[in-house]
Amino acid sequence: MYTSGVWVVKEGREDEFARRWQESADRLALDFQGVKFMLLRDRENPRRFVSLGEGWRNPSQIESARETPEFQDAMSSIWRVLDSGEMTTLDLIASVS
């Protein structure tokens, strides 16, 4: 299972967003070992970021992560620097190497 976020950051707050996201992902990685977190930045629109989480075992594990006080606090901090954001949970349908 995968998680994804699409984030549009307030102008001039891009570095702050990346730092806050990194701090949140670092905390989650300690509690949910085996899940890999990545943050990507759009080359055409440097205010747009995409985050990915891969390696979740099941939906309950994702829900548990999102319910932790640490995650809630981190998301509250992150939302302050965003114009918009969207989080989704994804199932892998196909993979090509």
Side-chain angles (χ1 to χ4, degrees):
M1 295 200 74
Y2 296 79
T3 52
S4 176
V6 178
W7 317 101
V8 178
V9 180
K10 293 178 181 177
E11 191 168 344
R13 310 285 296 267
E14 297 87 354
D15 290 341
E16 182 180 358
F17 167 78
R19 180 184 53 77
R20 289 177 186 214
W21 185 92
Q22 181 74 53
E23 290 170 356
S24 174
D26 287 345
R27 280 192 295 265
L28 282 172
L30 291 174
D31 293 335
F32 298 92
Q33 295 181 8
V35 179
K36 180 180 176 182
F37 299 98
M38 294 161 278
L39 183 63
L40 308 158
R41 189 175 192 172
D42 188 328
R43 285 179 167 237
E44 302 300 317
N45 177 359
R47 292 179 45 225
R48 184 175 180 270
F49 293 79
V50 175
S51 60
L52 298 171
E54 73 172 309
W56 297 100
R57 290 191 309 265
N58 53 53
S60 297
Q61 187 184 38
I62 296 168
E63 188 175 313
S64 293
R66 289 180 177 168
E67 290 177 351
T68 64
E70 294 83 9
F71 181 82
Q72 294 292 321
D73 289 345
M75 288 308 300
S76 177
S77 174
I78 286 170
W79 277 102
R80 285 193 280 271
V81 300
L82 296 178
D83 279 336
S84 65
E86 178 182 341
M87 294 190 310
T88 58
T89 301
L90 307 164
D91 294 314
L92 179 64
I93 302 302
S95 177
V96 178
S97 298

